[in-house]
Amino acid sequence: MKKYFVIGNPIEHSLSPKLQNWWLKENNIYATYDKIKLDDHEIKNFIQDIKEQKIAGCNVTVPFKKKVIPFLDKLSPEAEHTQSVNTIIFDNGDLIGYNTDIAGFNTAIKKLNFKAKGKKVLILGAGGVVPSIIFALKNMHVQEIIISNRSREKAENLRDLFDNLKILKWGDLTDFDMVINATSLGLNDETINLDFSSSGHNKLFYDVIYNPTETRFLKMGKKLGHKTENGKTMFVYQALAAFKLWHNIEPKVNLDTFKLLDND
């Protein structure tokens, strides 16, 4: 039986096993998918197990999306550009890193019918999926991308990967059409101490967190009358792209898929 995993730290919140095992069963694939918490020093051996095919493949979440790269043989063009890997496959003797977060975010924004072209986007955070979101937003031809992160240095480092990023001091606010919480603030009911009460009307508040389904950040956006969206659609479609890479089958996404995740 083939074994797949998602690796991260923390990993308890991940709904990847629930979704991937549902799809494995639906498509009659004899395999299992589980989550595993790793420390930095354990990554090399874990990835070696994929090379030796003791493990068939894996997903990668925070904080390992960049840290896995030195142990891989090849990267997809998107993974190369963003220096971010969330899916590892073994193909013809090579370990290949892919970035399916970009496709996930793209699909999520399309399904919202949010016209991103010419818009100003403020991103809170600089790690995890941020390079993938920037990559996707640039392809959508947004007017401006502003990054605000608790560690300014981490935000500045994104300029090595992308042109024309504006850096905003953490705690300050600027005009925006869409604000994205890409920090981990909200996973454990934390508050983001920013005052959005003067941010105008009809903005989009987007949180990459999907579990819990409504963070304090989204509750605040809703209370102020803005449109809100969590990271669930992005999560589902990045998972779909990973499933397709491993099994060469496109799993079905319907209401039941989302209900399955809501039941947690």
Side-chain angles (χ1 to χ4, degrees):
M1 183 183 271
K2 284 186 173 181
K3 291 179 185 170
Y4 295 86
F5 290 92
V6 56
I7 61 170
N9 190 346
I11 199 68
E12 300 78 31
H13 65 281
S14 175
L15 296 181
S16 290
K18 199 169 190 184
L19 181 56
Q20 293 286 348
N21 283 313
W22 160 271
W23 281 337
L24 287 169
K25 197 176 169 187
E26 268 204 329
N27 292 283
N28 298 312
I29 296 167
Y30 189 57
T32 61
Y33 185 109
D34 213 340
K35 52 188 164 192
I36 189 163
K37 183 180 170 182
L38 293 184
D39 290 314
D40 285 20
H41 68 275
E42 297 172 296
I43 296 170
K44 189 180 178 180
N45 286 346
F46 180 88
I47 290 177
Q48 187 57 33
D49 281 349
I50 303 176
K51 187 94 170 173
E52 292 169 15
Q53 281 296 276
K54 294 174 189 169
I55 296 167
C58 81
N59 281 135
V60 183
T61 188
V62 174
F64 301 134
K65 288 173 191 266
K66 189 174 181 178
K67 291 176 183 175
V68 296
I69 291 175
F71 308 113
L72 304 177
D73 301 308
K74 292 178 183 173
L75 296 178
S76 72
E78 294 86 354
E80 183 73 61
H81 189 134
T82 55
Q83 285 296 289
S84 180
V85 164
N86 78 325
T87 304
I88 298 172
I89 72 164
F90 181 75
D91 186 40
N92 283 328
D94 286 325
L95 288 170
I96 309 172
Y98 284 85
N99 180 334
T100 70
D101 286 324
I102 297 163
F105 182 74
N106 250 328
T107 306
I109 296 303
K110 269 186 193 151
K111 289 191 175 290
L112 274 177
N113 288 323
F114 179 77
K115 305 286 179 277
K117 191 177 178 179
K119 298 287 201 301
K120 288 184 181 182
V121 183
L122 170 61
I123 302 175
L124 308 174
V129 294
V130 172
S132 309
I133 287 172
I134 295 170
F135 187 97
L137 289 170
K138 282 191 167 284
N139 282 343
M140 294 174 199
H141 307 292
V142 297
Q143 183 192 329
E144 192 172 44
I145 298 171
I146 307 131
I147 308 288
S148 185
N149 190 55
R150 283 166 289 184
S151 142
R152 188 179 176 103
E153 188 190 352
K154 207 170 176 188
E156 293 284 358
N157 288 345
L158 288 166
R159 285 182 161 159
D160 297 339
L161 301 176
F162 301 100
D163 300 330
N164 305 321
L165 294 181
K166 193 174 164 187
I167 310 293
L168 183 70
K169 186 181 160 204
W170 182 260
D172 289 353
L173 275 180
T174 184
D175 183 37
F176 62 84
D177 299 295
M178 176 187 193
V179 57
I180 300 171
N181 175 36
T183 72
S184 57
L185 293 170
L187 272 178
N188 298 302
D189 206 30
E190 304 94 338
T191 303
I192 295 175
N193 290 315
L194 292 170
D195 181 10
F196 289 100
S197 58
S198 308
S199 56
H201 304 286
N202 299 322
K203 310 293 184 180
L204 173 59
F205 277 59
Y206 185 95
D207 203 319
V208 300
I209 294 170
Y210 60 86
N211 185 17
T213 52
E214 193 173 50
T215 57
R216 284 178 181 248
F217 169 76
L218 292 184
K219 282 175 185 162
M220 175 178 54
K222 192 183 267 184
K223 198 175 168 188
L224 292 168
H226 300 294
K227 188 170 184 178
T228 63
E229 179 74 9
N230 68 24
K232 195 163 287 174
T233 303
M234 176 182 177
F235 166 70
V236 166
Y237 282 93
Q238 65 74 29
L240 177 144
F243 190 93
K244 210 170 159 182
L245 283 168
W246 292 321
H247 310 295
N248 220 9
I249 291 169
E250 182 157 333
K252 273 194 211 125
V253 174
N254 51 33
L255 274 175
D256 289 342
T257 317
F258 287 92
K259 269 187 202 156
L260 173 84
L261 301 176
D262 285 339
N263 289 341
D264 219 68

